[in-house]
Amino acid sequence: MADRLGELARRFTGLLGSDSVITDPVRLRTYECDGLTVHRTTPGLVVLPTTAEQIAAVVTECVRTRTPYVARGSGTGLSGGALPRGDGVLIVTTRMRRVLEIDVVGRRAVVEPGVTNLAITQAALPHGYYYAPDPSSQQVCSIGGNLAENSGGAHCLKYGFTVNHVLAAEIVTPDGEIVTLDALDPGYDLLGAFVGSEGTLGIATKTTVRLTRLPEKVKTLLAAFESTEAGGRAVSAVIGAGIVPAAIEMMDALAIEAAEASVRCEYPPGAGAVLIVELDGPEEEVAAEYAQVVDLCSEAFEIRIAADDVERAAIWKGRKSAFAAVGRISPAYIVQDGVVPRTALPEVLARIDALSAEYGCRVANVFHAGDGNLHPLVLFDDADPRAGARAEELSGAILDLCVRHGGSITGEHGVGVDKSRYMPRMFSEDDLDAMHRLRCAFDPWNLCNPGKIFPTPRLCGEVPGVRRGVHPLVASGEAELW
Amino acid sequence: MSGIDPELIDDCVHCGFCLPACPTYLLWGEEMDSPRGRINLMEQHVGGVPITPEMAGHFDACLGCMACVPVCPSGVRYDLLIEQTRAEVERSYRRPPWERALRTLVFHLFPYPRRLRLLRGPLRLYQHPGLRRRIRPLLPAPVAAMSELVPPIRPRIRLPRVVRARGERRAVVGMLTGCVQDAFFAEVNSATARVLAMEGCDVIIPGAQGCCGALSEHSGRAEEAARFSDRLGEVFTRAGVDAVVVNAAGCGSSLKEGSPLRERAAPLAFHDLTEFLMELGPRAERHPLPLSVAYHDACHLAHAQGITAQPRTLLRQIPGLTLREIPSGQTCCGSAGTYNLFQPDAARELGDLKAANVRSTGVDLLVSGNPGCSLQIASALSRAGVRLPVAHTAQVLDASLRGLSRKALRA
Amino acid sequence: MVTADRGLFAALSRVCPDVREATEDDAITGVIPSWTAAPATAAEAAALMRLAAHHDLAVTARGAGTKLDWGNPPRRADLLVDLGNLDGILEHQAGDLVVRVQPGVRLDPLARILAEQGQQLALDDPVGGATVGGTISTAVCGPRRLRYGAPRDLLIGVTTVLADGTITRSGGKVIKNVAGYDLGKLFTGAFGTLGLVVEAVFRLHPLPAACAWLILNPADRATAVSAMRTLLHSQAAPSAIEWDSAQGPPEVAALFEGGAAESRAAALRRSLGDGRTSDRPPPWWGTHPDGTLIEVRFPVGRFSEVLGEIDEAARDHAVAARTRGGFGLLHVGVSEDPADAPDTAAFIMRIRGNLAALGGVVIVRRAAGAVRDRVDVWGPGGAVRLMRRVKERFDPQGLLSPGRLVGGV
């Protein structure tokens, strides 16, 4: 293996130049994990390409030598989707960070994969446009990673996910070919299937995304409730009234405490839950909806309205930093990501409370209330060897709860390496087999980010049942082979 | 036993929010040249991996700009970590001979205002274009880089020991004269003293202050730093002041931090000039200065001391002056204390980026609160062929308070 | 019917009682299959597929049959699986803004039922009478795609029967979900070549409090395009902006949705200095032009150039081209007189060639054999090689509507 990697390193140095190939063990180890630190593997080799052609050449070499490879952007993923392979190559796209085009008339931007999510918005803002999907890590996460994970964000309730905003992607396929998947092309929606495939179907090298017009008006309010139940009732009332807010986010008392400790967001003291509701759109619509929302939050003991962008940012600050902020109130914690049908929220939250008591682990809840996407943060002390296992169990029990209520084991963080073992709780063997067919169509050698998504290693084998020899229709001239 | 605190390392949850704030990550896009990556390297070392040349290289490449500190949601004290790490590198890693030689040179020169002043003569000669052309190719690269940064040498200004308040006295303050500031930007010091006096302060300027220790501190030479700051503390204590105004960002942040080693400077309260003036409140009349200026946030003011609003407010209070923001203003200019001496290539790249961003504002004047930044950006601007004057905040205030014309600042 | 066939017929009837010999009415782009079977349950559909795989029968799926004449004729067609009997609305959780339906449900009645709860499945039905399954398989969309997206954007879960009879599911019942591959995307626009959709889950939207249309009659194409651009980039956020030249002089209409729809439309009317507002769409809204139907897809920013290219090509080839649609998607109706087929074909090749340079794609939807004989209805397609590989994995025997899709897939 070392020989093979050594030979690859020499080849890659020839292809990419020596400052784009990392072989030093100390340096390699800085790439041992992404945003999820429980899984760590030092990559065998790291390359930092700058063009699609370089990536294609690297992939081709990997295929030739049957070496597994993993693509990585900013390394902020929370499911270990970019966990490297010790016997493989890590392809890092952080040097591909040019915004190639901002086309205002065509409402689109063309960017390289290492461009950060927020950089697209920053490039488009002077023209009155922005890039709508806004994961909490938007200032650092790369668009390549967003494609892999089909990233959402607080505003995806109204505006949709990455997949709804990608118009085309140039990818390097797992056999080293550069292919463009374009939403305009007829046939299977390969672009749609590629987005969210967690880096297992190829590596995006250039992406065309839709830009969204800045809304005429944005109104953000923070409502403080005695309890999450009361907050939940307000959410139901808002959705029931036919309002689709740009975002509707909830944090419980413990999450507020963490955010307070981290960024001093100064949410109303004593709140059992805060709800952040953001409305945007044409001024008249927002004004009407806003009045309705305030009415529907009648149980809130305090409502604050952001007067300007600074206050709006202040309201969001607590929410956006909530995950990392929990580090201030607990030595260690697990960020969970599950989804339940929104109407099941009250029941599920109550059950999480009960589980929390049962396992003796505190759970902070941060969630996208509008679409039932929960982020329970399971707190534990890693100094206690048994606490980690207990937290892990509780975290799994929460996922079971989600599946039981017809939900999902992940709303936005992805399956990666972390949740592959939970996949059978949501999907049958047949379901997973069908998904695997897609994977085999793209990557018959199972080299492109192997070990992710699927719970057990699966081989592709030959295409089953394909006719050997000449098809009768081809022989008769009725059809031709392509 | 490593001198790096594992608990501080443990605070990092690897979220990566620091990456876009880091100037070297911006330049090279590599994990090990980001705060998160460097913390991983620290973790490796604490776990028993000896400091390799590669590792030391990535620590050395850190500017110490602290831009990563305020953006960290987990509150990782990278400032403490990198300081401990630098000390650890000095302690347990033997640098190659030429690196050691350069370091010896720098640390025997810069913290000593008198030695720096002795250089003024030769440098003035060197700045003669004909001579420079002939001598420069003979200099080692780092020395050449150093020589490029030097501003035009101006006549030395000797400040009196005491500058009395104009009008009713509102405060008595000490004033730090600094090393580089004193040798190459003496007019900044005199402007500072005048502004303080015009705002009603008796300004005490003891002689033989020496260095504050910041340069050594930020390079892992903690004991040397303590020696300097102890001496400084004694000088000011003897002068009978308990508040000291600082007009160099790096010195200010280092003195404010305090450290167990530096006991004698501890009882003194150090204030950045702008912070002090804002607390004092404006009294002297501001005369109009019809200028458009961009204010450059020195890292050791903005990130280390959290001072961003005060200088802007002071500038905005000047009638006729318009203030513009520099795009990507939070990114370090590459000066970073001794950085442009030890890492000239990276410093130049960052300087060029900063110069381009400054240029895009189209202002008449760049204002900065730190002599190192001023040197760095001015030299990057002149490399790019841009003629844009650079002034210290104190100089702009001085000009306004004295009713000088805008030309006074555009020299 | 030969003996072997009679045996097969009996076998088919055993797994699916509602089976009969196919007639001309069951033709798929002119190809008449042997049998038509209408399963009553997903299990019956799966049994049919297993049987078909065992006996090497080629299968085509049908919903309401409104777009069965789109695409290539299948290379083989033995069994038409009519999903019209699978027409149950299985679950509508209004509070979750989600509906779970069987593929045979028609969009019209579904809309009426959802409206009772103030909700909608925001998909247009330009051909009329379409089922959910057919809408997914053809990925057809209409004016409101601007705001709500295409079927792929609203489909959040799908249950399918694969060629070998396996029933599989992907996605789920929640809007936000990234667990596993989203196979629903693959089945959207697949024309039944990967499997039968037997259940679909869609995200819903609240019905807008009011709708208003701003209708303009610009003097010429340039004025029309400029007005449409103003609408597109306006913060008044229209839900749809469409153009029509199929009725005669060009007309532009924009849909506004929401409590203040009328006032937003009126504000734009004032700033454009033209038009009228109405609470009803113009009669052509959301329909396709008559005649041979050509679909043109293109990047939003190329609208004006695409219209220009179509006009120019129509003039050069003496074709009367009637266009309807908006940013990114236009439909062109031309004469269906067989005598005009050569001109029509030349027109299609011309715009296909020239629009490719603008990133445009030209697909022939509805056309007589005389046109189909002269042009590939799909054109060259995009990542066809990858599509073929997907097809091989999902349908290795090549039984599902073989050849109906782009690239002979």
Side-chain angles (χ1 to χ4, degrees), chain C residues 189-235:
Chain C
F191 277 74
T193 58
L194 290 180
L196 306 177
V197 173
V198 290
E199 202 177 295
V201 189
F202 289 100
R203 83 170 284 186
L204 303 175
H205 285 86
L207 273 175
C211 291
W213 279 263
L214 170 62
I215 301 166
L216 310 166
N217 292 95
D220 52 36
R221 197 177 75 211
T223 318
V225 170
S226 141
M228 286 176 76
R229 266 210 189 121
T230 305
L231 286 161
L232 179 69
H233 296 279
S234 140
Q235 288 177 318

Tab-separated table of all heavy atoms in Angstrom, chain C residues 189-235:
chain	number	residue	atom	x	y	z
C	189	GLY	N	-38.855	12.514	-15.121
C	189	GLY	CA	-38.389	12.665	-16.496
C	189	GLY	C	-37.846	11.388	-17.092
C	189	GLY	O	-37.233	11.408	-18.152
C	190	ALA	N	-38.075	10.254	-16.410
C	190	ALA	CA	-37.516	8.990	-16.897
C	190	ALA	C	-38.425	8.300	-17.924
C	190	ALA	O	-38.047	7.299	-18.506
C	190	ALA	CB	-37.257	8.046	-15.731
C	191	PHE	N	-39.625	8.815	-18.127
C	191	PHE	CA	-40.569	8.218	-19.078
C	191	PHE	C	-40.757	6.723	-18.836
C	191	PHE	O	-40.859	5.930	-19.772
C	191	PHE	CB	-40.112	8.482	-20.527
C	191	PHE	CG	-40.546	9.840	-21.022
C	191	PHE	CD1	-39.929	11.003	-20.577
C	191	PHE	CD2	-41.606	9.961	-21.923
C	191	PHE	CE1	-40.347	12.257	-21.010
C	191	PHE	CE2	-42.032	11.212	-22.357
C	191	PHE	CZ	-41.402	12.360	-21.907
C	192	GLY	N	-40.759	6.353	-17.576
C	192	GLY	CA	-41.039	4.959	-17.244
C	192	GLY	C	-39.957	3.984	-17.629
C	192	GLY	O	-40.201	2.778	-17.668
C	193	THR	N	-38.745	4.449	-17.899
C	193	THR	CA	-37.713	3.511	-18.348
C	193	THR	C	-36.916	2.902	-17.193
C	193	THR	O	-36.050	2.072	-17.418
C	193	THR	CB	-36.705	4.216	-19.291
C	193	THR	OG1	-36.114	5.324	-18.588
C	193	THR	CG2	-37.394	4.718	-20.543
C	194	LEU	N	-37.190	3.341	-15.954
C	194	LEU	CA	-36.443	2.792	-14.815
C	194	LEU	C	-37.317	1.955	-13.893
C	194	LEU	O	-36.803	1.154	-13.114
C	194	LEU	CB	-35.822	3.929	-13.992
C	194	LEU	CG	-34.673	4.708	-14.618
C	194	LEU	CD1	-34.192	5.787	-13.666
C	194	LEU	CD2	-33.522	3.782	-14.990
C	195	GLY	N	-38.615	2.164	-13.953
C	195	GLY	CA	-39.505	1.454	-13.052
C	195	GLY	C	-40.858	2.132	-13.055
C	195	GLY	O	-41.058	3.149	-13.728
C	196	LEU	N	-41.799	1.529	-12.309
C	196	LEU	CA	-43.136	2.117	-12.216
C	196	LEU	C	-43.228	2.897	-10.907
C	196	LEU	O	-42.898	2.358	-9.856
C	196	LEU	CB	-44.211	1.031	-12.175
C	196	LEU	CG	-44.230	-0.018	-13.267
C	196	LEU	CD1	-45.347	-1.029	-12.965
C	196	LEU	CD2	-44.477	0.640	-14.620
C	197	VAL	N	-43.676	4.130	-10.993
C	197	VAL	CA	-43.930	4.884	-9.768
C	197	VAL	C	-45.280	4.407	-9.240
C	197	VAL	O	-46.290	4.497	-9.937
C	197	VAL	CB	-43.967	6.389	-10.057
C	197	VAL	CG1	-44.394	7.164	-8.816
C	197	VAL	CG2	-42.612	6.877	-10.549
C	198	VAL	N	-45.303	3.850	-8.032
C	198	VAL	CA	-46.586	3.377	-7.497
C	198	VAL	C	-47.078	4.223	-6.320
C	198	VAL	O	-48.186	4.026	-5.834
C	198	VAL	CB	-46.524	1.883	-7.099
C	198	VAL	CG1	-46.414	1.013	-8.347
C	198	VAL	CG2	-45.379	1.607	-6.138
C	199	GLU	N	-46.228	5.112	-5.867
C	199	GLU	CA	-46.647	6.010	-4.800
C	199	GLU	C	-45.722	7.220	-4.810
C	199	GLU	O	-44.541	7.088	-5.088
C	199	GLU	CB	-46.521	5.280	-3.453
C	199	GLU	CG	-47.363	5.850	-2.357
C	199	GLU	CD	-47.208	5.007	-1.085
C	199	GLU	OE1	-47.616	3.835	-1.097
C	199	GLU	OE2	-46.659	5.552	-0.119
C	200	ALA	N	-46.307	8.373	-4.525
C	200	ALA	CA	-45.489	9.580	-4.521
C	200	ALA	C	-45.898	10.458	-3.356
C	200	ALA	O	-47.073	10.520	-2.999
C	200	ALA	CB	-45.656	10.345	-5.835
C	201	VAL	N	-44.918	11.107	-2.742
C	201	VAL	CA	-45.190	12.059	-1.670
C	201	VAL	C	-44.728	13.430	-2.142
C	201	VAL	O	-43.608	13.581	-2.624
C	201	VAL	CB	-44.453	11.684	-0.369
C	201	VAL	CG1	-44.928	12.560	0.778
C	201	VAL	CG2	-44.635	10.215	-0.042
C	202	PHE	N	-45.608	14.411	-2.035
C	202	PHE	CA	-45.279	15.759	-2.487
C	202	PHE	C	-45.343	16.738	-1.332
C	202	PHE	O	-46.153	16.582	-0.413
C	202	PHE	CB	-46.293	16.234	-3.540
C	202	PHE	CG	-46.172	15.545	-4.858
C	202	PHE	CD1	-47.039	14.511	-5.199
C	202	PHE	CD2	-45.208	15.927	-5.777
C	202	PHE	CE1	-46.946	13.878	-6.429
C	202	PHE	CE2	-45.103	15.297	-7.007
C	202	PHE	CZ	-45.980	14.260	-7.334
C	203	ARG	N	-44.519	17.761	-1.435
C	203	ARG	CA	-44.688	18.877	-0.509
C	203	ARG	C	-45.756	19.793	-1.086
C	203	ARG	O	-45.880	19.962	-2.297
C	203	ARG	CB	-43.387	19.626	-0.251
C	203	ARG	CG	-43.020	20.676	-1.276
C	203	ARG	CD	-41.844	21.526	-0.803
C	203	ARG	NE	-42.261	22.498	0.197
C	203	ARG	CZ	-41.459	23.440	0.689
C	203	ARG	NH1	-40.204	23.515	0.284
C	203	ARG	NH2	-41.893	24.303	1.579
C	204	LEU	N	-46.545	20.365	-0.211
C	204	LEU	CA	-47.650	21.228	-0.632
C	204	LEU	C	-47.351	22.676	-0.273
C	204	LEU	O	-46.437	22.955	0.496
C	204	LEU	CB	-48.941	20.788	0.056
C	204	LEU	CG	-49.345	19.332	-0.175
C	204	LEU	CD1	-50.578	18.982	0.675
C	204	LEU	CD2	-49.642	19.082	-1.656
C	205	HIS	N	-48.121	23.551	-0.827
C	205	HIS	CA	-48.029	24.973	-0.472
C	205	HIS	C	-49.402	25.465	-0.081
C	205	HIS	O	-50.409	24.934	-0.556
C	205	HIS	CB	-47.503	25.789	-1.658
C	205	HIS	CG	-46.037	25.607	-1.887
C	205	HIS	ND1	-45.521	24.572	-2.645
C	205	HIS	CD2	-44.967	26.309	-1.441
C	205	HIS	CE1	-44.205	24.660	-2.652
C	205	HIS	NE2	-43.842	25.698	-1.935
C	206	PRO	N	-49.454	26.494	0.765
C	206	PRO	CA	-50.773	27.076	1.044
C	206	PRO	C	-51.308	27.737	-0.225
C	206	PRO	O	-50.534	28.253	-1.031
C	206	PRO	CB	-50.478	28.116	2.126
C	206	PRO	CG	-49.011	28.299	2.166
C	206	PRO	CD	-48.368	27.129	1.509
C	207	LEU	N	-52.618	27.685	-0.391
C	207	LEU	CA	-53.220	28.410	-1.512
C	207	LEU	C	-53.051	29.897	-1.240
C	207	LEU	O	-53.235	30.344	-0.110
C	207	LEU	CB	-54.718	28.097	-1.603
C	207	LEU	CG	-55.129	26.881	-2.411
C	207	LEU	CD1	-56.642	26.682	-2.274
C	207	LEU	CD2	-54.750	27.009	-3.884
C	208	PRO	N	-52.682	30.653	-2.253
C	208	PRO	CA	-52.536	32.089	-2.009
C	208	PRO	C	-53.888	32.719	-1.671
C	208	PRO	O	-54.929	32.261	-2.145
C	208	PRO	CB	-52.003	32.623	-3.335
C	208	PRO	CG	-52.347	31.585	-4.346
C	208	PRO	CD	-52.381	30.270	-3.631
C	209	ALA	N	-53.841	33.762	-0.847
C	209	ALA	CA	-55.075	34.435	-0.455
C	209	ALA	C	-55.788	35.013	-1.675
C	209	ALA	O	-57.016	35.061	-1.734
C	209	ALA	CB	-54.759	35.548	0.546
C	210	ALA	N	-55.032	35.445	-2.650
C	210	ALA	CA	-55.628	35.985	-3.876
C	210	ALA	C	-54.629	35.872	-5.014
C	210	ALA	O	-53.431	35.746	-4.789
C	210	ALA	CB	-56.015	37.455	-3.667
C	211	CYS	N	-55.154	35.888	-6.226
C	211	CYS	CA	-54.307	35.873	-7.415
C	211	CYS	C	-54.681	37.066	-8.291
C	211	CYS	O	-55.851	37.431	-8.383
C	211	CYS	CB	-54.532	34.603	-8.249
C	211	CYS	SG	-53.931	33.120	-7.453
C	212	ALA	N	-53.684	37.641	-8.904
C	212	ALA	CA	-53.963	38.713	-9.867
C	212	ALA	C	-52.989	38.578	-11.019
C	212	ALA	O	-51.829	38.194	-10.830
C	212	ALA	CB	-53.813	40.072	-9.191
C	213	TRP	N	-53.494	38.852	-12.196
C	213	TRP	CA	-52.631	38.817	-13.380
C	213	TRP	C	-52.463	40.223	-13.916
C	213	TRP	O	-53.422	41.009	-13.970
C	213	TRP	CB	-53.241	37.937	-14.469
C	213	TRP	CG	-52.995	36.479	-14.263
C	213	TRP	CD1	-52.010	35.730	-14.829
C	213	TRP	CD2	-53.766	35.583	-13.450
C	213	TRP	NE1	-52.097	34.428	-14.406
C	213	TRP	CE2	-53.164	34.297	-13.565
C	213	TRP	CE3	-54.888	35.716	-12.635
C	213	TRP	CZ2	-53.662	33.171	-12.911
C	213	TRP	CZ3	-55.370	34.601	-11.974
C	213	TRP	CH2	-54.771	33.354	-12.110
C	214	LEU	N	-51.249	40.526	-14.278
C	214	LEU	CA	-50.990	41.761	-15.015
C	214	LEU	C	-50.835	41.344	-16.466
C	214	LEU	O	-49.992	40.495	-16.791
C	214	LEU	CB	-49.703	42.418	-14.491
C	214	LEU	CG	-49.167	43.587	-15.312
C	214	LEU	CD1	-50.164	44.741	-15.346
C	214	LEU	CD2	-47.837	44.071	-14.744
C	215	ILE	N	-51.665	41.889	-17.337
C	215	ILE	CA	-51.647	41.473	-18.740
C	215	ILE	C	-51.230	42.656	-19.609
C	215	ILE	O	-51.784	43.755	-19.500
C	215	ILE	CB	-53.032	40.944	-19.170
C	215	ILE	CG1	-53.403	39.759	-18.263
C	215	ILE	CG2	-53.009	40.504	-20.635
C	215	ILE	CD1	-54.859	39.355	-18.329
C	216	LEU	N	-50.218	42.419	-20.407
C	216	LEU	CA	-49.672	43.500	-21.241
C	216	LEU	C	-49.800	43.123	-22.704
C	216	LEU	O	-49.696	41.955	-23.067
C	216	LEU	CB	-48.173	43.694	-20.944
C	216	LEU	CG	-47.724	43.842	-19.490
C	216	LEU	CD1	-46.221	43.669	-19.392
C	216	LEU	CD2	-48.149	45.202	-18.965
C	217	ASN	N	-50.010	44.133	-23.546
C	217	ASN	CA	-50.008	43.905	-24.990
C	217	ASN	C	-48.944	44.783	-25.633
C	217	ASN	O	-49.233	45.827	-26.200
C	217	ASN	CB	-51.391	44.196	-25.583
C	217	ASN	CG	-52.397	43.173	-25.107
C	217	ASN	OD1	-53.109	43.414	-24.125
C	217	ASN	ND2	-52.409	42.012	-25.736
C	218	PRO	N	-47.700	44.355	-25.502
C	218	PRO	CA	-46.602	45.201	-25.982
C	218	PRO	C	-46.627	45.332	-27.500
C	218	PRO	O	-47.113	44.438	-28.213
C	218	PRO	CB	-45.351	44.455	-25.518
C	218	PRO	CG	-45.793	43.059	-25.256
C	218	PRO	CD	-47.239	43.075	-24.959
C	219	ALA	N	-46.072	46.445	-27.969
C	219	ALA	CA	-46.110	46.744	-29.403
C	219	ALA	C	-45.243	45.768	-30.191
C	219	ALA	O	-45.580	45.383	-31.304
C	219	ALA	CB	-45.631	48.173	-29.626
C	220	ASP	N	-44.158	45.383	-29.636
C	220	ASP	CA	-43.275	44.467	-30.373
C	220	ASP	C	-42.529	43.569	-29.397
C	220	ASP	O	-42.678	43.687	-28.185
C	220	ASP	CB	-42.284	45.259	-31.236
C	220	ASP	CG	-41.561	46.309	-30.401
C	220	ASP	OD1	-41.275	46.025	-29.224
C	220	ASP	OD2	-41.305	47.421	-30.925
C	221	ARG	N	-41.707	42.687	-29.987
C	221	ARG	CA	-41.025	41.701	-29.170
C	221	ARG	C	-40.053	42.348	-28.193
C	221	ARG	O	-39.967	41.954	-27.022
C	221	ARG	CB	-40.262	40.740	-30.089
C	221	ARG	CG	-39.863	39.475	-29.392
C	221	ARG	CD	-39.178	38.538	-30.341
C	221	ARG	NE	-37.825	38.983	-30.625
C	221	ARG	CZ	-37.198	38.780	-31.770
C	221	ARG	NH1	-37.808	38.167	-32.769
C	221	ARG	NH2	-35.967	39.207	-31.942
C	222	ALA	N	-39.343	43.374	-28.665
C	222	ALA	CA	-38.347	44.004	-27.806
C	222	ALA	C	-39.002	44.610	-26.568
C	222	ALA	O	-38.508	44.450	-25.445
C	222	ALA	CB	-37.581	45.063	-28.589
C	223	THR	N	-40.129	45.291	-26.780
C	223	THR	CA	-40.840	45.890	-25.651
C	223	THR	C	-41.308	44.793	-24.692
C	223	THR	O	-41.229	44.933	-23.467
C	223	THR	CB	-42.064	46.684	-26.145
C	223	THR	OG1	-41.685	47.416	-27.311
C	223	THR	CG2	-42.585	47.620	-25.081
C	224	ALA	N	-41.810	43.707	-25.282
C	224	ALA	CA	-42.307	42.598	-24.459
C	224	ALA	C	-41.194	42.025	-23.596
C	224	ALA	O	-41.354	41.843	-22.390
C	224	ALA	CB	-42.886	41.504	-25.355
C	225	VAL	N	-40.052	41.775	-24.220
C	225	VAL	CA	-38.948	41.164	-23.489
C	225	VAL	C	-38.465	42.099	-22.394
C	225	VAL	O	-38.185	41.670	-21.260
C	225	VAL	CB	-37.799	40.788	-24.449
C	225	VAL	CG1	-36.562	40.377	-23.664
C	225	VAL	CG2	-38.240	39.674	-25.383
C	226	SER	N	-38.408	43.378	-22.715
C	226	SER	CA	-37.937	44.325	-21.707
C	226	SER	C	-38.905	44.379	-20.526
C	226	SER	O	-38.486	44.414	-19.368
C	226	SER	CB	-37.723	45.676	-22.379
C	226	SER	OG	-38.124	46.713	-21.543
C	227	ALA	N	-40.206	44.346	-20.810
C	227	ALA	CA	-41.196	44.346	-19.728
C	227	ALA	C	-41.064	43.075	-18.891
C	227	ALA	O	-41.123	43.110	-17.660
C	227	ALA	CB	-42.598	44.449	-20.301
C	228	MET	N	-40.850	41.945	-19.571
C	228	MET	CA	-40.727	40.679	-18.844
C	228	MET	C	-39.510	40.687	-17.944
C	228	MET	O	-39.526	40.164	-16.829
C	228	MET	CB	-40.661	39.511	-19.825
C	228	MET	CG	-42.013	39.213	-20.457
C	228	MET	SD	-41.912	37.917	-21.699
C	228	MET	CE	-41.777	36.450	-20.689
C	229	ARG	N	-38.418	41.289	-18.453
C	229	ARG	CA	-37.208	41.386	-17.621
C	229	ARG	C	-37.458	42.225	-16.384
C	229	ARG	O	-37.047	41.873	-15.289
C	229	ARG	CB	-36.080	42.027	-18.432
C	229	ARG	CG	-35.280	40.983	-19.044
C	229	ARG	CD	-33.838	41.337	-19.247
C	229	ARG	NE	-33.353	40.243	-20.042
C	229	ARG	CZ	-32.812	40.361	-21.236
C	229	ARG	NH1	-32.601	41.549	-21.753
C	229	ARG	NH2	-32.447	39.295	-21.898
C	230	THR	N	-38.151	43.346	-16.598
C	230	THR	CA	-38.472	44.201	-15.455
C	230	THR	C	-39.261	43.397	-14.422
C	230	THR	O	-38.992	43.465	-13.225
C	230	THR	CB	-39.299	45.413	-15.926
C	230	THR	OG1	-38.555	46.065	-16.949
C	230	THR	CG2	-39.577	46.375	-14.795
C	231	LEU	N	-40.225	42.616	-14.908
C	231	LEU	CA	-41.032	41.795	-14.004
C	231	LEU	C	-40.173	40.770	-13.273
C	231	LEU	O	-40.280	40.586	-12.063
C	231	LEU	CB	-42.133	41.082	-14.791
C	231	LEU	CG	-43.300	41.964	-15.255
C	231	LEU	CD1	-44.071	41.289	-16.381
C	231	LEU	CD2	-44.235	42.245	-14.075
C	232	LEU	N	-39.289	40.123	-14.029
C	232	LEU	CA	-38.458	39.059	-13.451
C	232	LEU	C	-37.566	39.589	-12.337
C	232	LEU	O	-37.386	38.948	-11.313
C	232	LEU	CB	-37.590	38.428	-14.548
C	232	LEU	CG	-36.640	37.308	-14.100
C	232	LEU	CD1	-37.419	36.067	-13.698
C	232	LEU	CD2	-35.644	36.962	-15.197
C	233	HIS	N	-37.015	40.770	-12.554
C	233	HIS	CA	-36.055	41.303	-11.580
C	233	HIS	C	-36.720	42.191	-10.536
C	233	HIS	O	-36.056	42.763	-9.695
C	233	HIS	CB	-34.938	42.046	-12.317
C	233	HIS	CG	-34.124	41.140	-13.188
C	233	HIS	ND1	-33.112	40.345	-12.690
C	233	HIS	CD2	-34.196	40.848	-14.503
C	233	HIS	CE1	-32.590	39.627	-13.678
C	233	HIS	NE2	-33.240	39.912	-14.786
C	234	SER	N	-38.054	42.272	-10.629
C	234	SER	CA	-38.757	43.131	-9.680
C	234	SER	C	-38.889	42.472	-8.321
C	234	SER	O	-38.984	41.253	-8.195
C	234	SER	CB	-40.142	43.437	-10.247
C	234	SER	OG	-41.103	43.407	-9.223
C	235	GLN	N	-38.894	43.300	-7.299
C	235	GLN	CA	-39.088	42.768	-5.948
C	235	GLN	C	-40.559	42.537	-5.636
C	235	GLN	O	-40.893	42.101	-4.537
C	235	GLN	CB	-38.455	43.714	-4.922
C	235	GLN	CG	-36.927	43.647	-4.976
C	235	GLN	CD	-36.281	44.615	-4.027
C	235	GLN	OE1	-36.728	45.747	-3.912
C	235	GLN	NE2	-35.236	44.187	-3.348
